[in-house]
Amino acid sequence: MEGKRVHDSLINQKIKMTTTKNTTRCRWVPGPVIVGAGPSGLAVAACLKAKEIPSVIIERANCIASLWQLKTYDRLRLHLPKKFCELPLMPFPANFPTYPIKHQFVSYLEDYASQFNLQPQFNETVVSAEFDQNIGFWRVRTSGLKEDSEYICQWLIVATGENAEEAVPEIQGMDEFVGPIIHTSMYRSGKPYCGKKVLVVGCGNSGMEVCLDLCNYNARPSLVVRDTVHVLPREMLGRSTFGLSMWLLKWLPIRIVDRLLLLVAWFLLGNTAQLGLSRPKLGPLELKSMSGKTPVLDVGTLAKIRAGDIKVYPGVKRLKRHTVEFVDGTVEDFDVIIMATGYKSNVPSWLKDRCLFSEKDGLPSRPFPNGWKGEHGLYSVGFTKRGLLGSSMDARRIAQDIEQYWKADQSKHLSTFTCRSPLLSN
């Protein structure tokens, strides 16, 4: 530990020598800097804490799991059973239901942060992160409510995830439509839309659930299904569809499992193509593995479509003042449009690295399971397109990898640092 204190002291001296005059606050971080205090960031911080490796979590919002707390609808619950969604080192409470509701999941995350004494730096937005070749460390610059800051660290963990920013496609005539156009991040419940004609654009899990919620509040929803989609029952043969799939994959090839899932789905749900929901050519698991596209787990929406309570339309061609024209030529009046078009990564806007992350979509360039580690101590967690289970896998890998360096002989580490650092050499 004495060697580490000397090492940190020299690092701090070096930082003072290389910090620009415009920087309000500069801080040397002996452990990793984690960007994002969602489930992924908390998971990797907890795994590091268990190995006695300190970290600093930077979060732009004023709370943990801001997407869940600030940008989700009231009826949201975990789509998968809780045993597949728990974070490392701490299971869900035994009294939680199989599919915890939104507030239960947030409570679990708050207890998780408390259990591992995780205290993110809130209200700090990372504006840039770049590996400085001259000093051999990462410079992470942030903008806060009161001051700008710069963190210097050896390891940088990107935990902002796949859902950092709302994805809203450009549709011709959006500026002409007189009714509200909102993203699902602004939707809480169907109560304000009672009696209104609402068009939901997007047929993923969120779009399907929002339509069901609107029905429950006596709105008149319609659903835009632009592409093919796999809809599966949430449970099959007395087990969760996801759990059954994972069990079958232990014994059978993925294509055989897909065929079994689709066979059972056909018996339980019928021919979804007759409802305007045609299935892709690839099976649900194979499609998920290749593209990351998640099948929809039905919780009652199909019954509403079949009953005529929810109308299904193809893609939108253009909007006018009060109407929507669809690609098949149909024109309908609507009062409100809700964009259930998902989210996207924002990593390219602030990370000055193009090796680990693709500039095109902000996701790791290497496919799962190899996208968690880059160069110069750069890591990613929460980008596997495999939900919380994927985040937990990455969090464990990252902590184990960093531990190898952390537990290395400190005197050797200091010697190596001194030799390679021009600002510490005489």
Side-chain angles (χ1 to χ4, degrees):
M1 291 302 295
E2 182 62 31
K4 184 179 185 304
R5 282 194 291 269
V6 173
H7 171 254
D8 290 352
S9 175
L10 289 171
I11 291 292
N12 282 317
Q13 293 177 26
K14 181 179 181 182
I15 291 170
K16 291 178 182 178
M17 296 173 64
T18 58
T19 299
T20 61
K21 295 181 180 180
N22 294 329
T23 300
T24 303
R25 182 179 66 130
C26 188
R27 177 180 172 186
W28 158 249
V29 181
V33 165
I34 302 169
V35 183
S40 297
L42 298 178
V44 72
C47 289
L48 289 165
K49 198 68 168 288
K51 298 179 181 297
E52 300 183 345
I53 303 174
S55 63
V56 171
I57 307 174
I58 301 173
E59 170 56 48
R60 63 180 177 178
N62 62 357
C63 61
I64 64 169
S66 61
L67 179 64
W68 276 84
Q69 296 207 57
L70 308 177
K71 296 186 177 184
T72 52
Y73 43 91
D74 295 341
R75 66 163 285 135
L76 179 64
R77 62 173 60 230
L78 293 179
H79 292 112
L80 304 182
K82 62 182 180 181
K83 69 177 181 179
F84 297 111
C85 300
E86 62 188 26
L87 300 186
L89 309 175
M90 181 175 151
F92 280 95
N95 64 339
F96 273 25
T98 302
Y99 301 93
I101 62 175
K102 168 183 174 178
H103 298 297
Q104 289 173 323
F105 183 60
V106 171
S107 173
Y108 165 74
L109 293 178
E110 290 174 340
D111 290 344
Y112 190 85
S114 176
Q115 172 72 26
F116 295 100
N117 193 26
L118 307 179
Q119 300 177 356
Q121 304 291 316
F122 292 120
N123 297 308
E124 284 198 52
T125 301
V126 174
V127 294
S128 70
E130 184 174 11
F131 185 75
D132 190 327
Q133 297 282 355
N134 293 323
I135 64 173
F137 291 94
W138 288 91
R139 290 184 177 273
V140 182
R141 297 180 174 88
T142 70
S143 176
L145 295 178
K146 296 182 180 180
E147 64 180 4
D148 296 341
S149 301
E150 183 176 53
Y151 297 84
I152 310 294
C153 57
Q154 184 173 353
W155 302 285
L156 176 63
I157 302 173
V158 180
T160 49
E162 304 150 353
N163 302 324
E165 304 287 350
E166 295 86 349
V168 180
E170 287 292 329
I171 301 176
Q172 185 180 356
M174 289 183 75
D175 56 341
E176 298 178 29
F177 189 76
V178 297
I181 301 178
I182 68 168
H183 189 268
T184 46
S185 60
M186 301 296 293
Y187 178 91
R188 296 298 172 265
S189 82
K191 187 175 181 180
Y193 308 105
C194 178
K196 296 180 183 279
K197 291 186 67 176
V198 183
L199 181 66
V200 179
V201 180
C203 62
N205 280 298
S206 294
M208 298 282 270
E209 267 203 79
V210 166
C211 279
L212 181 60
D213 191 56
L214 288 165
C215 284
N216 293 338
Y217 284 95
N218 297 316
R220 293 178 288 165
S222 296
L223 179 68
V224 171
V225 181
R226 187 181 62 176
D227 203 355
T228 56
V229 59
H230 277 299
V231 182
L232 303 175
R234 187 169 67 177
E235 295 188 345
M236 291 182 174
L237 307 176
R239 301 178 61 174
S240 75
T241 298
F242 183 80
L244 178 63
S245 301
M246 295 301 99
W247 182 79
L248 289 173
L249 285 173
K250 294 179 180 179
W251 313 101
L252 300 171
I254 188 170
R255 292 190 178 183
I256 299 298
V257 176
D258 272 339
R259 290 178 186 176
L260 292 173
L261 293 179
L262 292 176
L263 181 62
V264 176
W266 187 86
F267 277 110
L268 295 176
L269 303 178
N271 185 0
T272 59
Q274 295 178 348
L275 303 176
L277 300 161
S278 298
R279 295 190 182 277
K281 293 181 179 180
L282 288 177
L285 298 183
E286 191 173 7
L287 183 64
K288 173 69 174 175
S289 177
M290 294 182 63
S291 69
K293 187 174 181 180
T294 303
V296 172
L297 298 177
D298 180 55
V299 292
T301 308
L302 281 185
K304 294 291 185 180
I305 295 174
R306 191 172 283 110
D309 296 325
I310 300 173
K311 294 183 178 180
V312 175
Y313 290 97
V316 176
K317 182 178 180 180
R318 65 158 294 148
L319 310 179
K320 295 184 180 179
R321 286 180 56 81
H322 300 281
T323 62
V324 177
E325 180 182 351
F326 299 96
V327 293
D328 65 353
T330 304
V331 178
E332 289 287 345
D333 293 338
F334 290 99
D335 301 307
V336 182
I337 298 176
I338 298 175
M339 307 296 286
T341 45
Y343 295 83
K344 61 184 178 180
S345 166
N346 69 356
V347 173
S349 68
W350 57 269
L351 180 64
K352 312 305 177 185
D353 176 270
R354 294 297 176 264
C355 295
L356 180 58
F357 289 90
S358 167
E359 189 171 3
K360 180 180 178 181
D361 58 13
L363 301 177
S365 302
R366 294 191 293 271
F368 177 84
N370 301 312
W372 60 277
K373 183 178 180 180
E375 298 178 351
H376 307 301
L378 178 64
Y379 299 90
S380 77
V381 57
F383 292 87
T384 64
K385 292 190 177 182
R386 282 160 177 79
L388 296 168
L389 187 62
S391 294
S392 295
M393 293 170 62
D394 280 350
R396 290 189 176 95
R397 289 192 186 105
I398 292 169
Q400 290 171 359
D401 196 65
I402 292 177
E403 183 184 29
Q404 297 178 24
Y405 301 98
W406 184 261
K407 290 188 173 181
D409 180 68
Q410 291 295 326
S411 60
K412 180 180 179 181
H413 181 73
L414 177 59
S415 175
T416 302
F417 173 81
T418 304
C419 290
R420 76 179 183 187
S421 174
L423 290 175
L424 287 181
S425 58
N426 294 325

